[in-house]
Amino acid sequence: MTPATVTGHFGEWVQGRFGPEGPVVLITLPCPDFRVTAPGDDTMAFSADVLSRFAARLGIDNLPTGVTRNFPLGIGGGASTATLVALARAAGFSGSDETLADACIAAEQASDPLMFADPDRLVWASRQGRVLREVTPPPPATILGGLWGEPQRTDATDTDFDDVSDLIDDWQVASNQGDLTRLAAIATASAHHCTARRGPTDPMADLARDLGALGMVRAHTGSARGLIFAPDTVPPHGADTLREAGLTDILCFQTGRA
């Protein structure tokens, strides 16, 4: 069995419904610092039924019995999807990314697009496991973030999100132009929509203003919260400021495509 590592994400640039009655869609925010490796020694947060459905869909009967994960569950880091994909690849699965996505949906009825290369190029229907649109990935950005509030696992039946089809359209234009300032404003709007509808309130808007960030991001389900900066512009005191505001597990990472 060959070890396989899959990286997670740090919430979403945008998430909501694609139309008032449309599917839940998202544009993920890849986080190279979050990793799941299979096999490993950590317990997996899946029932035997979930793993059985996943393995059966892929025709695999030798999934690893554990993984190593360097980030908590329920923060909006894509732990479930990253774990399933790592298990499949460690077991020797070499089929298509679409087949992996289909198996993740069969197992959990929801999925992040972490089986794909450059997942931030996809407008992803997360309860259907399919690509609705391809967009240009965002330009390089630095995310300074941490965790706020309690962990929250994704409920695949939860569709209580705002219509963000206008934000998706704006995102496509701004990403084509490589306009990080405009993309940050779109991400901020999506975060505000989510917090107003779903909570909990957080200090991120004030922190963005005080630290001169371009905008903010959040896990639309989960505790990840972040500020968006152009590369090499995070203030030296930024991490301490987030800690003083009550965020935990502070990290700073690069995302986007050069």
Side-chain angles (χ1 to χ4, degrees), residues 127-202:
R127 274 55 165 172
Q128 300 174 351
R130 65 186 181 96
V131 177
L132 292 189
R133 186 184 295 181
E134 291 204 26
V135 294
T136 303
T142 301
I143 307 298
L144 173 67
L147 305 183
W148 177 267
E150 296 298 318
Q152 183 183 5
R153 301 292 296 275
T154 296
D155 175 359
T157 66
D158 177 11
T159 59
D160 185 25
F161 294 90
D162 281 23
D163 176 5
V164 294
S165 53
D166 59 333
L167 299 183
I168 296 292
D169 290 341
D170 289 348
W171 182 274
Q172 186 156 19
V173 173
S175 61
N176 285 340
Q177 297 171 342
D179 187 343
L180 182 60
T181 298
R182 185 173 175 185
L183 292 171
I186 295 166
T188 300
S190 186
H192 278 313
H193 285 326
C194 185
T195 300
R197 178 180 287 263
R198 301 167 62 85
T201 57
D202 60 48

Side-chain angles (χ1 to χ4, degrees), residues 50-84:
V50 167
L51 293 175
S52 177
R53 287 196 299 271
F54 181 69
R57 198 72 164 218
L58 297 177
I60 292 174
D61 58 9
N62 62 332
L63 288 179
T65 57
V67 298
T68 298
R69 184 188 305 109
N70 73 345
F71 61 100
L73 299 169
I75 67 168
S80 292
T81 298
T83 296
L84 290 173

